[in-house]
Amino acid sequence: MVAGTKATELRELNDEDLVAKLREAKEELFNLRFQAATGQLENHGRLKSVRKDIARVYTLMRERELGIESVESV
C-alpha cells in the first residue's frame, strides 16, 4: 500500500478491493512491527502512516455499511 493513501482514491474502490487493501495494509503493519522489534526498522514514521491507512479503510467500510454519503469539496 502506498504511503498516505488518499480517501478519495479509496472511495473509488469496490468492497472487495477495500478488503484486499485492508489485508495488504495489515500485513505490512505486521512486518513493520516485526522489524521494529528486531531493531531493523529505519523509517518509524511508516508505522504511523500504515495505521492511519488502516483506519481510513475501516472508516470507509463503516460509512458504506451505514449508507453515509460524504460530500467532497471541489
Side-chain angles (χ1 to χ4, degrees):
M1 186 171 224
V2 179
T5 304
K6 302 274 187 196
T8 54
E9 295 171 7
L10 293 174
R11 288 184 199 284
E12 296 172 357
L13 301 175
N14 60 19
D15 292 339
E16 294 83 22
D17 291 338
L18 270 180
V19 171
K21 286 277 190 190
L22 180 63
R23 189 177 303 118
E24 182 180 323
K26 282 186 169 188
E27 183 177 332
E28 183 177 358
L29 183 62
F30 173 79
N31 290 331
L32 288 172
R33 284 181 176 162
F34 195 86
Q35 288 176 4
T38 59
Q40 297 175 353
L41 185 62
E42 295 178 7
N43 185 4
H44 293 279
R46 185 75 182 126
L47 279 168
K48 182 177 179 181
S49 67
V50 171
R51 281 198 309 264
K52 285 189 174 199
D53 286 343
I54 291 171
R56 275 189 200 97
V57 172
Y58 274 132
T59 300
L60 287 172
M61 291 171 70
R62 182 66 176 157
E63 284 178 355
R64 289 180 182 180
E65 181 181 322
L66 296 174
I68 298 173
E69 296 289 328
S70 65
V71 178
E72 296 288 328
S73 60
V74 177

